[in-house]
């Protein structure tokens, strides 16, 4: 049972816009930044969004992040086949001396 | 360009101690701008943060694993290490090391990851 809640799956057709939600609490998303990681099959996670809505260099602007209260979302527009991957949200949790928490991950399928 | 590489035994017996090392190249583990984290991923499951260390040796661990985890740093070798004691089959996972940026004195994003190493706990 992950501390942050994500839908286990999402799907879309090429060119579509999809969103993935991430729900937390006041001790994590409600008071800290949200981060998103993309994990392509058989590879290590890659930082996709940091500090709620910032993209690292090299990440296409098709990817965007937002946060409101204790929830966050990742949006992918102009969906492409290479976007098929697992997506994880993460946030620092202030409880118990502080620790990182992750969502359970969302498997994105491009139909 | 900073790179991280995990190394260690791929098979550990139940009740024994899992030991892994992460070697940092292209950068320094002594940089005051980063924490150095361990994260794991059981087969077919999600990510779980294990803990991090600062170059000074200060640590922070996942409360659920704290009693069994020790993370250490060797600045002379530019490495940091993970020890997880009393392992069971539930500790079977891909183990990743990652660089954790520090943002206003708080842990920020994990911006560089190793490729991961698979550890199986079995007799």
């Amino acid at each position: 049972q992950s501390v942050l809640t994500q839908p286990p799956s999402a799907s879309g057709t090429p060119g579509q816009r999809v969103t993935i939600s991430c729900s937390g609490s006041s001790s994590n998303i409600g008071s800290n930044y949200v981060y998103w990681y993309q994990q392509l099959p058989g590879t290590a996670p890659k930082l996709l969004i940091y500090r709620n809505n910032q993209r690292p260099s090299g990440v296409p602007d098709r990817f965007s992040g937002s946060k409101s209260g204790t929830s966050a979302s990742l949006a992918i527009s102009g969906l492409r086949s290479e976007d098929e991957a697992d997506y994880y949200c993460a946030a620092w949790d202030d409880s118990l001396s502080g620790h990182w928490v992750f969502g359970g991950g969302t498997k994105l399928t491009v139909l | 360009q900073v790179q991280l590489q995990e190394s260690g035994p791929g098979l550990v017996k139940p009740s024994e101690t899992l030991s892994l090392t992460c070697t940092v190249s292209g950068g320094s583990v002594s940089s005051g701008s980063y924490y150095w984290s361990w994260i794991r991923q059981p087969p077919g499951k999600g990510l779980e943060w294990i803990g991090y260390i600062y170059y000074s040796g200060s640590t922070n661990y996942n409360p659920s694993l704290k009693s069994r985890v020790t993370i250490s740093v060797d600045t002379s070798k530019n490495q940091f290490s993970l020890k997880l004691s009393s392992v069971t089959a539930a500790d079977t996972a891909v183990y990743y090391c990652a660089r954790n940026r520090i943002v206003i004195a708080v842990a920020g994003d994990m911006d560089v990851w190793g490729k991961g190493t698979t550890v199986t706990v079995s007799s």
Side-chain angles (χ1 to χ4, degrees):
Chain A
Q1 191 82 4
S2 301
V3 174
L4 305 182
T5 301
Q6 295 181 236
S9 63
S11 63
T13 56
Q16 267 191 332
R17 182 178 187 271
V18 297
T19 61
I20 297 171
S21 62
C22 176
S23 177
S25 67
S26 58
S27 64
N28 42 66
I29 293 179
S31 51
N32 294 297
Y33 290 121
V34 176
Y35 301 84
W36 290 91
Y37 297 89
Q38 177 193 58
Q39 187 176 33
L40 297 170
T43 69
K46 167 193 166 186
L47 180 64
L48 196 64
I49 297 288
Y50 66 99
R51 296 185 216 168
N52 301 334
N53 55 20
Q54 302 299 302
R55 285 186 306 277
S57 173
V59 173
D61 59 8
R62 301 186 297 104
F63 294 90
S64 61
S66 63
K67 170 186 147 177
S68 178
T70 58
S71 294
S73 291
L74 173 71
I76 309 171
S77 60
L79 199 61
R80 304 176 67 159
S81 58
E82 57 260 40
D83 298 332
E84 188 160 292
D86 293 324
Y87 293 85
Y88 294 91
C89 59
W92 184 257
D93 192 301
D94 292 330
S95 66
L96 300 171
S97 302
H99 56 288
W100 281 108
V101 292
F102 285 93
T106 297
K107 168 68 177 174
L108 175 64
T109 301
V110 180
L111 301 169
Chain B
Q1 180 177 344
V2 176
Q3 292 184 316
L4 307 181
Q5 178 67 60
E6 305 88 350
S7 60
L11 181 64
V12 182
K13 290 183 168 54
S15 79
E16 295 190 344
T17 296
L18 177 160
S19 296
L20 296 175
T21 295
C22 182
T23 301
V24 180
S25 59
S28 174
V29 75
S30 298
S31 169
S33 299
Y34 304 101
Y35 295 122
W36 303 92
S37 277
W38 286 98
I39 303 99
R40 70 180 183 179
Q41 184 172 34
K45 296 188 177 180
L47 302 169
E48 180 181 35
W49 178 73
I50 299 170
Y52 67 54
I53 191 165
Y54 192 54
Y55 79 96
S56 63
S58 65
T59 55
N60 195 341
Y61 300 138
N62 188 322
S64 67
L65 297 169
K66 189 172 184 176
S67 63
R68 299 194 292 130
V69 172
T70 303
I71 298 177
S72 58
V73 64
D74 187 335
T75 55
S76 66
K77 293 182 179 179
N78 218 25
Q79 296 175 334
F80 60 105
S81 299
L82 167 71
K83 290 189 186 299
L84 181 66
S85 64
S86 305
V87 297
T88 69
D91 296 308
T92 294
V94 176
Y95 285 77
Y96 297 100
C97 57
R99 188 176 77 170
N100 205 161
R101 287 200 284 197
I102 297 175
V103 180
I104 318 174
V106 181
D109 49 280
M110 290 173 238
D111 65 336
V112 179
W113 293 64
K115 288 182 167 57
T117 187
T118 299
V119 178
T120 301
V121 178
S122 175
S123 55

